[in-house]
Amino acid sequence: SALILDDRPDAWDETSRPQVLPVLPYHHFDETGLPLTNEPPTGVLQDMLAVLSDARNKLDQQHREVAGKRADDGVQPNAAEALQVRRAAVLQGVALVFSG
């Protein structure tokens, strides 16, 4: 199971798309090919690192929960499910009001 960060989710097949976490294009090199920075991630990259860390924690939790179950039970930890849990929690506890 894997999580995929990509600025082109449309490049992935339907089976893989639940595991794709779309990101804005990141430009690591300038127009001459030199690295733009060696600094730790900030902005969108820092946000994506937080999302990946949270999804990883949820996946680790799934591994612990199924560790005692037999393999033939068909229970497998799933990165796409861990990411879906994270996505579902984005607006948890938020009340949205639309007016026109």
Side-chain angles (χ1 to χ4, degrees):
S1 210
L3 293 178
I4 304 161
L5 269 71
D6 200 337
D7 62 349
R8 292 276 320 275
D10 60 310
W12 295 89
D13 62 36
E14 290 297 321
T15 305
S16 301
R17 283 192 190 152
Q19 295 168 233
V20 175
L21 183 60
V23 296
L24 295 173
Y26 178 74
H27 305 285
H28 182 70
F29 300 99
D30 67 16
E31 61 278 353
T32 67
L34 296 174
L36 290 173
T37 182
N38 288 329
E39 300 297 318
T42 59
V44 171
L45 288 180
Q46 186 177 23
D47 293 344
M48 292 299 102
L49 182 59
V51 169
L52 286 174
S53 294
D54 187 59
R56 165 75 189 266
N57 290 338
K58 286 181 178 29
L59 190 59
D60 286 346
Q61 181 181 357
Q62 287 179 0
H63 275 283
R64 287 190 299 275
E65 289 171 359
V66 300
K69 298 181 181 178
R70 297 185 328 213
D72 59 1
D73 288 343
V75 178
Q76 293 290 324
N78 185 303
E81 288 177 15
L83 184 57
Q84 184 58 35
V85 168
R86 172 73 169 150
R87 285 177 172 152
V90 168
L91 295 177
Q92 189 172 18
V94 174
L96 296 177
V97 178
F98 295 94
S99 64

